[in-house]
Amino acid sequence: MKKLLLLLALSVTGMRYGYSQSATNLTITANDSKLTISRHIYGQFSEHLGRCIYDGFWVDPKLQVAKQDRIRLDVVEALKKINIPNLRWPGGCFADEYHWRDGIGPRATRPKMVNTNWGGVSEDNSFGTHEFLELCKLLKTEPYIAGNMGSGTVEEMAKWVEYLNCSAETTVTNLRKQNGHPEPFKVTFWGVGNESWGCGGNMTPEFYSDNYRQYATYARDYPGTPLKRVASGSNGKDYNWTEVCMKNIGRSMWGLTLHWYTLPTGDWGKKGSATQFDEKEYFNTMKNCLEMDEIVSKHSAIMDKYDPGKKVALVVDEWGIWTDPEPNSSVLYQQNSLRDALIAASTLNIFNNHCDRVKMANLAQTVNVLQALILTNKEKMLLTPTYHVFDLYKVHQDAKYLPIKFESPDYEIDGKKIPALNVSASIDANKVIHISLVNLDANKKISIKTSLKGLNWSTVSGQILNSEKLTDVNSFENPNKLKIAGFAGASKQGDELVADLPAHSVVVLTLK
Ligand code: AHR
């Protein structure tokens, strides 16, 4: 009888407080270490591919939108709002066929080339070094340039860095002055090749790492602009590539890259649709997405062997969902659904939780390509659900990382299981705590109870991204179907934070 009364009392308390007794317990602890979540984890990628640069950022002079030169300003304004910290350019595979001298000087006389990687289209080089750096200036973002190692020479790369960063008078810097930029551009993030195991030259890791040493030597540090040299790293689970690069290059690089894309079916031949999928395919997609955690952990463990002080960054400079393109669309153009938002939010949680090693990452790609933040159609543009995740998560940029412990409930389908809940947390310079929570379960809400050890707070507010269906998208006809809304499902109960997270939602809580 006593037991029954106790149970009754507990469930009444639970009902009053609005949380279920089977809540998942989270513990967030104040962290004494200096570990911060680098803002560069929130980087973007823009390649000469499909309609990302041309007809995305850089548009027809006749298009009736606000522009500076040919840079589309509504796109710039939207990206400024989410504080993009760096922008990677010109590729991707395109980078290893790009010759920078073709993209400077009077546009009318710039050489034309064929973009062999992406549709065999003509590249008129109207968007080159100066145009990219003007775009970065407008975006208030740091440029991250990928130099050509696949088909370019050591001299070509060396001269590009001189053109960008040298203040002494040389033939190359005079050319920069002649092209309208007397002062050095001061570019620091410098990629030495891209996917050198594949489109960037089909190299072995041994051959690549020897080449890296040569190219990186002559890509000089000019006064006031030490380069952060980033070596071309592994294709997903190729751990040997990381092992060889760490052994042969070690601390002579600032960072080593990793590329990992989420394929809904896991099959490069038939990746799956961006908008038409059932719950099983959704489950499979999320399972593939969450693999990022194990992949990052395994590369980090190898890096730890050679670099226990964690000086070399793991730079995940290509990630995101890669689906079949939309029918009759431009190269790698895909729609973006609530599923994409859950992928972005979960992946960013993984990176935040690995911020001791992952110091930079770049979503592929910013506009009109793969998991885009923005889609454009002539004068129209829309913000994708993925954009809204970057908007929600910008609070973590350069904030101090807070460790979290919890055991996630399972999301189960056909006897297969994935963790339904993923979370990351940080505390900013004003001592405001942010917790980003993702409920991947397609059907069930998750109740959480959180104790925050050593942290002071008295109020909680929240924001949510959710929609009725996982396949919901923002379209040009209905561009605001998915947008950030206020979240009232969290409260302080005693010393604990309790919340109910709706099925398939992203919630960011602010504790003050
Ligand atoms: O992001 C699209 C392509 O994917 C990039 O050009 C290449 O680096 C990767 O294979």
Side-chain angles (χ1 to χ4, degrees):
M1 186 63 178
K2 261 189 190 165
K3 240 187 196 170
L4 197 69
L5 283 174
L6 185 68
L7 273 175
L8 204 64
L10 282 173
S11 67
V12 168
T13 314
M15 271 157 60
R16 176 148 39 96
Y17 286 161
Y19 62 88
S20 118
Q21 291 304 303
S22 60
T24 299
N25 287 303
L26 274 67
T27 308
I28 301 183
T29 322
N31 181 14
D32 295 334
S33 81
K34 297 270 175 293
L35 219 48
T36 53
I37 296 174
S38 169
R39 66 182 183 283
H40 289 295
I41 285 177
Y42 292 80
Q44 302 298 325
F45 173 33
S46 55
E47 181 167 10
H48 290 233
L49 190 179
R51 293 171 51 239
C52 182
I53 294 294
Y54 297 108
D55 204 30
F57 282 115
W58 186 249
V59 295
D60 189 318
K62 293 197 281 297
L63 194 75
Q64 296 295 306
V65 291
K67 295 181 283 294
Q68 177 169 314
D69 194 351
R70 287 171 57 186
I71 297 173
R72 190 171 174 157
L73 293 178
D74 52 355
V75 167
V76 168
E77 282 315 311
L79 293 174
K80 263 166 73 178
K81 188 172 169 253
I82 57 169
N83 301 340
I84 71 167
N86 70 77
L87 186 62
R88 180 172 182 246
W89 174 84
C93 295
F94 181 78
D96 280 299
E97 270 191 316
Y98 181 64
H99 299 285
W100 69 273
R101 285 191 173 89
D102 295 350
I104 56 168
R107 284 183 204 142
T109 55
R110 292 186 191 174
K112 290 191 171 51
M113 65 178 279
V114 52
N115 188 335
T116 54
N117 284 291
W118 306 117
V121 296
S122 172
E123 160 68 57
D124 69 3
N125 279 303
S126 59
F127 189 89
T129 298
H130 289 255
E131 290 79 12
F132 171 65
L133 292 163
E134 186 57 28
L135 172 63
C136 289
K137 196 166 143 197
L138 290 172
L139 290 168
K140 298 192 191 324
T141 197
E142 277 195 59
Y144 168 23
I145 294 184
N148 178 349
M149 186 209 242
S151 69
T153 62
V154 175
E155 189 264 0
E156 183 182 353
M157 189 185 285
K159 291 295 175 198
W160 199 4
V161 178
E162 181 182 326
Y163 186 86
L164 292 163
N165 290 347
C166 178
S167 56
E169 182 170 353
T170 69
T171 307
V172 170
T173 59
N174 279 341
L175 198 55
R176 184 188 71 222
K177 288 177 201 155
Q178 218 174 293
N179 291 330
H181 211 277
E183 296 306 318
F185 286 107
K186 296 186 179 265
V187 172
T188 60
F189 288 120
W190 192 261
V192 182
N194 166 74
E195 295 196 351
S196 303
W197 40 264
C199 65
N202 283 305
M203 302 176 195
T204 62
E206 289 78 12
F207 184 77
Y208 171 76
S209 46
D210 282 348
N211 269 282
Y212 172 94
R213 293 159 71 108
Q214 188 185 6
Y215 278 74
T217 300
Y218 297 99
R220 300 286 190 194
D221 289 339
Y222 289 97
T225 319
L227 279 189
K228 293 185 174 123
R229 294 173 188 79
V230 180
S232 170
S234 147
N235 178 14
K237 298 176 187 171
D238 181 354
Y239 301 110
N240 180 50
W241 188 281
T242 297
E243 183 87 46
V244 174
C245 286
M246 288 306 294
K247 201 190 301 163
N248 293 354
I249 304 173
R251 294 277 304 279
S252 314
M253 56 189 164
W254 178 84
L256 178 62
T257 71
L258 162 66
H259 290 182
W260 174 252
Y261 285 98
T262 298
L263 307 184
T265 60
D267 173 1
W268 280 99
K270 175 107 193 69
K271 301 174 196 79
S273 159
T275 52
Q276 281 150 36
F277 51 87
D278 57 15
E279 194 187 333
K280 270 192 195 167
E281 190 156 309
Y282 162 71
F283 178 91
N284 207 31
T285 310
M286 296 320 304
K287 190 167 177 284
N288 296 340
C289 161
L290 295 178
E291 276 201 86
M292 181 69 93
D293 191 36
E294 184 187 317
I295 293 171
V296 165
S297 301
K298 288 189 170 166
H299 286 290
S300 299
I302 296 166
M303 294 175 82
D304 286 350
K305 273 201 301 185
Y306 297 92
D307 172 34
K310 298 186 193 289
K311 300 282 184 223
V312 179
L314 184 59
V315 177
V316 191
D317 63 1
E318 289 189 29
W319 67 272
I321 181 171
W322 192 323
T323 67
D324 297 332
E326 288 300 299
N328 308 315
S329 65
S330 49
V331 184
L332 304 191
Y333 177 88
Q334 56 193 53
Q335 245 299 359
N336 197 289
S337 68
L338 176 61
R339 178 179 67 174
D340 296 53
L342 296 165
I343 288 171
S346 302
T347 307
L348 291 170
N349 276 345
I350 292 171
F351 294 159
N352 288 347
N353 289 323
H354 281 280
C355 65
D356 59 335
R357 186 59 86 177
V358 178
K359 310 230 169 102
M360 189 167 182
N362 300 76
L363 175 70
Q365 300 194 4
T366 327
V367 190
N368 294 331
V369 167
L370 300 177
Q371 189 170 353
L373 299 175
I374 292 177
L375 300 177
T376 66
N377 179 7
K378 303 206 171 73
E379 281 78 12
K380 292 184 184 168
M381 69 155 248
L382 64 81
L383 307 176
T384 65
T386 298
Y387 172 95
H388 292 305
V389 169
F390 276 79
D391 196 6
L392 283 171
Y393 274 53
K394 66 187 177 196
V395 291
H396 289 305
Q397 291 190 23
D398 284 341
K400 216 166 138 187
Y401 160 76
L402 294 174
I404 309 176
K405 280 203 183 123
F406 68 98
E407 220 166 279
S408 171
D410 289 330
Y411 170 30
E412 191 170 346
I413 196 166
D414 290 345
K416 292 188 212 143
K417 291 175 186 171
I418 58 172
L421 177 67
N422 64 76
V423 190
S424 70
S426 66
I427 180 161
D428 70 16
N430 299 316
K431 302 275 173 253
V432 178
I433 300 161
H434 293 104
I435 311 172
S436 42
L437 304 118
V438 184
N439 178 2
L440 293 178
D441 198 305
N443 310 301
K444 290 189 212 144
K445 75 166 188 189
I446 297 176
S447 301
I448 58 154
K449 261 199 287 184
T450 311
S451 61
L452 292 105
K453 296 198 173 140
L455 293 158
N456 293 321
W457 64 287
S458 53
T459 62
V460 56
S461 59
Q463 291 186 297
I464 183 166
L465 186 68
N466 197 2
S467 196
E468 198 192 325
K469 288 187 278 165
L470 283 156
T471 48
D472 283 346
V473 300
N474 286 340
S475 65
F476 291 103
E477 295 70 45
N478 189 1
N480 294 315
K481 184 166 178 62
L482 286 95
K483 57 178 188 219
I484 297 171
F487 176 71
S491 57
K492 188 170 190 197
Q493 308 293 346
D495 283 340
E496 285 192 329
L497 166 71
V498 300
D500 276 344
L501 311 170
H504 53 64
S505 66
V506 181
V507 170
V508 176
L509 301 177
T510 301
L511 278 62
K512 291 185 182 168

